Amino acid sequence: MRIYVGNLKYSVNDDTLRAMFSEFGEVASADVIKDKFSGQSKGFGFVDMPSKAEAEDAIQALNDTMQDGRKLTVNEAKPRTERAQQRF
């Protein structure tokens, strides 16, 4: 299951994001999204967890929690096409 993680502190990197979710189960990938020109974090990322049950546990546990003074938004990631349709 792909998980969206928003409102991350700009200093959070892929390893930090992976560590946040690894306590809930296996993490296949953890990617903080960066600006392609500056390399600066955009303040959100995605985590892939193979087990849907573990992913749902992580979402339940981490959504609306404080991390480094910021309230995280954690939910199931929506497909790109779905988001693009919402803009119009």
Side-chain angles (χ1 to χ4, degrees):
M1 174 186 265
R2 191 158 173 85
I3 302 168
Y4 166 82
V5 186
N7 204 27
L8 292 170
K9 195 169 184 176
Y10 294 125
S11 61
V12 171
N13 61 28
D14 296 348
D15 293 333
T16 309
L17 189 58
R18 178 181 293 275
M20 259 196 287
F21 283 82
S22 64
E23 67 181 87
F24 299 98
E26 181 186 348
V27 175
S29 67
D31 301 301
V32 173
I33 305 304
K34 298 179 180 86
D35 181 271
K36 61 182 169 183
F37 299 109
S38 70
Q40 174 71 31
S41 167
K42 289 190 170 189
F44 70 95
F46 295 95
V47 175
D48 286 306
M49 297 182 79
S51 167
K52 185 174 175 116
E54 290 173 350
E56 288 173 347
D57 288 345
I59 290 169
Q60 187 74 19
L62 294 173
N63 189 40
D64 290 333
T65 60
M66 295 299 286
Q67 203 60 249
D68 292 323
R70 301 186 77 148
K71 189 175 182 181
L72 295 182
T73 300
V74 182
N75 53 45
E76 185 174 354
K78 296 182 172 108
R80 285 184 85 102
T81 55
E82 210 174 294
R83 288 188 314 198
Q85 291 172 354
Q86 291 175 353
R87 291 183 183 171
F88 301 108

